[in-house]
Amino acid sequence: MLDGRGCIVKWAPQLEVLAHPAVGGFWTHSGWNSTLESICEGVPMICQPYLPDQMVNARYVSHFWRVGLHSEWKLERMEIERAIRRVMVEAEGQEMRARIMHLKEKVDFCLRKGGSSHQSLERLIDHILSF
């Protein structure tokens, strides 16, 4: 426990945690599933990628969509604190939050009945059932 302000655990139900209204940011390895889950819940990210595909995802999050930070620094206390402050406290974080909420709305629209993702899944199911 961190003075009652946080908790570090080995494993947690990620979707449930991201959906909680108290979550203000997500430190992630930037795997595609984690990235999508964070976008779907409207949670800005601090990306700490390890593998090449994760590095590409982190670049999209930080430089293209601008809904998070790509941490290219060493894991040092001051750098971690600065990243958390940028996402959670500073105006930059508020801007990220606004952009990710806009992205979340787009995702929600695509997943609704009649949305592009919903239609694509329906076409795939129809195609598979046609055999």
Side-chain angles (χ1 to χ4, degrees), residues 42-115:
V43 178
M45 292 164 263
I46 299 172
C47 302
Q48 186 78 43
Y50 297 99
L51 301 174
D53 65 312
Q54 297 167 351
M55 292 177 194
V56 171
N57 298 340
R59 276 305 257 191
Y60 265 90
V61 165
S62 62
H63 291 79
F64 185 69
W65 299 321
R66 297 182 358 246
V67 295
L69 303 175
H70 181 178
S71 68
E72 300 177 41
W73 56 81
K74 295 178 183 175
L75 289 176
E76 296 176 1
R77 179 185 176 100
M78 296 305 290
E79 294 296 331
I80 294 168
E81 179 183 350
R82 174 77 179 120
I84 293 169
R85 285 188 186 284
R86 285 176 65 190
V87 170
M88 300 286 293
V89 178
E90 296 177 8
E92 180 182 16
Q94 297 303 318
E95 293 166 5
M96 285 180 208
R97 194 168 283 42
R99 282 190 291 273
I100 202 164
M101 291 309 290
H102 181 68
L103 206 50
K104 177 185 177 355
E105 289 171 10
K106 287 182 176 185
V107 168
D108 290 344
F109 182 78
C110 290
L111 294 175
R112 280 189 206 128
K113 187 170 182 158

Side-chain angles (χ1 to χ4, degrees), residues 26-40:
F26 178 37
W27 191 302
T28 175
H29 68 301
S30 305
W32 189 240
N33 287 342
S34 294
T35 300
L36 287 179
E37 290 168 357
S38 191
I39 291 169
C40 287

